[in-house]
Amino acid sequence: MISVRMALGENMEQINARSIFSPATGFIRRGGFDWTCNPYVGCSFGCSYCYAMFLPQNRRPKEDWGKWFQAKVNAIDLARKRAPKVAGQAVYMSSVTDPYLPAERSLRLTRGILEVLVPHQPRLLIQTRGPLVVRDLDVLRQFHAVRVNVSIPTDSEEVRQVFEPKAPPLEKRWQALNEIKAAGIPTGICVTPMLPLKDPELFLKRLVGFGPDVLVVQDFHDSGGGFGADTAKAARELLAKETWNRQDYLAFRDNLARRLRVYEGEEGFFPPASGDALDDFSPQSHAFPEAHT
């Protein structure tokens, strides 16, 4: 294992992995996925609320989340050898990392995996907050069943900097979404978890105006492992300092659901359809109870 100090202070370890496709578990399995694919382990974005820091794959102190990640330097070779077994099946990329970390710009592990997957045509979901995904639109357009989910948990850059200071700016994510949509690739927006909003009505109008194929919302949650894992304690403490609470979330969710089809929590994480009929593959949209104050 080789350790490299990166520009932002995190440590990158180069490892030779034993596998690149793992059987889906937890909410990913319940959503209908067969496999997960993680070119990296850990994440340099280090969002304070990330469920992945609680998963068994993270054997390091939770306070070190965001300070390290591992690059599977043999990921492309593994994918080339094992891609036939995921042909036509549902693949979630990625579950314990972001496939478009800054290091991916030079390492190109995610792109290499995508290139070797194209002939085998899995039903592919990309889950990211990295605008670098637009680099690979030429490859993603070759998949018959694909969707790119982008995380946009708030409308406020100030809030973003508090909860996920090392993650890409929100406007760059919106720009990426516009490019993905313009390329004819289905999009998902994940407001998960929903962070405090600066202008809820304007944010709602922007979501409605963009019209993603899938829109997922989620409050800060204490799920007992039901959906991914619990939101980090540090993030909940940060939230307590903001003028935002569950009633604000419920009001926004219900207002949004009057204008768009909205999925809540894990019900929104399902594979892309193999055809154009999204309803044939997705669960029924949630019948939300009325928000009470």
Side-chain angles (χ1 to χ4, degrees), residues 1 3 12 34 69 75 87 96 126 131 138-139 149-150 154 183 188 221 223 225 248 279 281 285:
M1 180 174 64
S3 182
M12 179 184 74
D34 303 295
F69 68 98
V96 298
I126 301 292
D138 61 322
V139 182
N149 281 3
V150 176
T154 180
H221 56 283
S223 65
D248 295 318
D279 290 346
F281 291 88
S285 58

Side-chain angles (χ1 to χ4, degrees), residues 201 204-205 208 254-262:
E201 184 59 28
L204 185 149
K205 289 180 179 178
V208 172
D254 293 347
N255 195 14
L256 185 60
R258 295 185 187 101
R259 309 190 197 186
L260 280 180
R261 182 171 185 174
V262 176

